[in-house]
Amino acid sequence: MAARGGSRASASKGRAPSAVIPQLAWNQIRTAPVVLVSGPEGFLADRSIRMLRDALKAEDASLEISDINAADYAPGELLTLASPSLFGEPRLIRVEAVEKCNDAFLSDMLDYLPSTADGTVVVLRHGGGVRGKKLLDAIRAGGGGGIEVVCTELKKDSDKYDFAQAEFRNAGKKITAGALRAVTSAFADDLAELAAACQQLISDTAAEVTEATVDKYYGGRVETNAFHVADAAIAGRYGEALVTMRHALASGADPVPMVAAFASKVRTMAKLSGARGGSGQLAQQFGLAPWQVDRAKRDLQGWTEDGLGRCIEVLAETDANVKGGGRDPVFALERMIRIVSARGRGA
């Protein structure tokens, strides 16, 4: 797996040589003389770089690892670290904050690209922005024989669900669809926490992970409680929703993410209201997971378009009230739950 000097991608037959380097997902990282890890998702970038380090270390335990901060880089530092050692150990040079690089680093790295060092992998972490664009353009044009690993944010619920599903699948651990939905909902706002929760469930449970397992570990999680309240209210179970809401608040839950949980579910219902097609087709059309489509269709039973519209208005009012626009956030929540439980009917 040790990298060698920069070879460029060959062209398709009968065409000019391609100037576009391979662009890979975070979990497809592999060795190359220069590895550009780009994108704003820091957790995935860190994990991807660790995967590369572990692979290189497994191939040769004598791997020398060095770290550079491009923002306070000293001239000549890269050349010194990449220079062959007496025993010729393979090298991994990790460079952080390339989006904040100083001129010295930019100059040295551009000089390095035409003649990369044998047995050396240079990993460049660029979080986004225009700084260092000249270097990025040179790498993407094939300079250094590199590859790019793109770490985009997982913004859609379906993307986070797929990420969590892959965590369990890769570990060979079974998890029910309901449990997977529960853990994804509980940690939807923080990918690192979602990954940590998945790993804890994987390591601490011997049998299949169920909703009861997730509830045992993370039942007090604010977002989980919030979605439990929303589920009960949308199904018309007013008393259950009210009791669960009060328990959540007593456990330290904040009203703001609770309203957000309601808004997330009602927005999905509104998207699918009146939509026709199979779960897979609608999931692709609306950027959802198939299970979200199936759940929204079930939630829509007994609802009317007027009721959805009324609830969306109430959710907007409640959101403003719990963020400082009203005197009593708890009263605002109770009113929202009552109206949602009545499927948009009531004052």
Side-chain angles (χ1 to χ4, degrees):
M1 192 172 178
R4 288 295 180 260
S7 62
R8 303 193 181 196
S10 61
S12 299
K13 186 176 180 181
R15 299 175 60 185
S18 173
V20 179
I21 63 174
Q23 289 193 315
L24 310 175
W26 68 271
N27 55 356
Q28 297 175 320
I29 194 168
R30 58 177 172 79
T31 188
V34 176
V35 179
L36 171 60
V37 181
S38 65
E41 185 49 73
F43 171 77
L44 293 182
D46 290 344
R47 178 180 278 196
S48 186
I49 294 170
R50 285 199 303 272
M51 288 170 59
L52 179 61
R53 176 204 64 192
D54 293 345
L56 290 170
K57 194 77 174 176
E59 185 176 276
D60 193 328
S62 67
L63 177 74
E64 289 191 5
I65 302 173
S66 304
D67 292 297
I68 293 175
N69 188 311
D72 55 16
Y73 175 83
E77 188 176 359
L78 175 64
L79 182 61
T80 299
L81 293 174
S83 297
S85 68
L86 180 62
F87 300 103
E89 299 92 346
R91 296 169 182 266
L92 172 64
I93 302 174
R94 301 178 297 198
V95 185
E96 62 177 325
V98 177
E99 71 278 5
K100 302 176 183 177
C101 67
N102 59 26
D103 291 340
F105 175 79
L106 191 59
S107 176
D108 280 5
M109 191 66 210
L110 286 168
D111 289 342
Y112 178 80
L113 292 181
S115 54
T116 57
D118 284 352
T120 298
V121 176
V122 178
V123 178
L124 306 174
R125 172 68 184 120
H126 193 286
V130 297
R131 181 63 179 163
K133 183 177 183 301
K134 183 178 180 181
L135 173 60
L136 268 57
D137 288 346
I139 294 171
R140 287 167 177 160
I147 61 172
E148 181 173 8
V149 177
V150 183
C151 299
T152 54
E153 286 185 284
L154 304 186
K155 293 183 178 180
K156 295 180 181 179
D157 291 341
S158 56
D159 292 336
K160 295 168 186 174
Y161 181 89
D162 290 343
F163 171 83
Q165 188 176 48
E167 293 286 279
F168 287 93
R169 183 175 59 246
N170 293 338
K173 174 72 70 173
K174 291 184 178 180
I175 181 170
T176 66
L180 193 57
R181 289 195 295 270
V183 73
T184 304
S185 298
F187 297 95
D189 292 335
D190 192 312
L191 190 62
E193 288 189 1
L194 174 58
C198 291
Q199 292 306 315
Q200 182 174 24
L201 290 169
I202 288 167
S203 61
D204 289 1
T205 56
E208 181 180 52
V209 179
T210 65
E211 289 180 77
T213 314
V214 177
D215 222 31
K216 174 185 174 183
Y217 278 82
Y218 305 115
R221 176 78 180 179
V222 172
E223 292 86 352
T224 302
N225 283 335
F227 278 95
H228 285 169
V229 177
D231 287 339
I234 288 169
R237 301 192 300 271
Y238 172 64
E240 179 185 334
L242 195 62
V243 169
T244 308
M245 182 272 288
R246 289 172 176 167
H247 174 73
L249 294 178
S251 301
D254 188 276
V256 174
M258 192 168 295
V259 178
F262 272 76
S264 174
K265 292 184 72 66
V266 172
R267 279 198 304 267
T268 302
M269 291 166 63
K271 284 181 182 179
L272 292 167
S273 179
R276 297 291 181 268
S279 297
Q281 178 187 355
L282 292 175
Q284 186 174 13
Q285 180 180 345
F286 292 107
L288 302 168
W291 67 262
Q292 289 177 297
V293 174
D294 294 337
R295 181 59 187 265
K297 285 182 176 180
R298 290 197 300 270
D299 289 341
L300 280 166
Q301 294 178 9
W303 282 78
T304 64
E305 290 190 7
D306 288 344
L308 280 171
R310 172 63 177 142
C311 283
I312 289 171
E313 292 175 355
V314 171
L315 286 169
E317 294 168 6
T318 308
D319 185 64
N321 286 333
V322 299
K323 290 179 178 177
R327 295 182 178 180
D328 190 343
V330 176
F331 173 79
L333 283 176
E334 290 179 347
R335 174 175 175 266
M336 174 189 71
I337 289 171
R338 175 166 51 83
I339 294 174
V340 171
S341 297
R343 295 181 169 88
R345 299 181 294 272

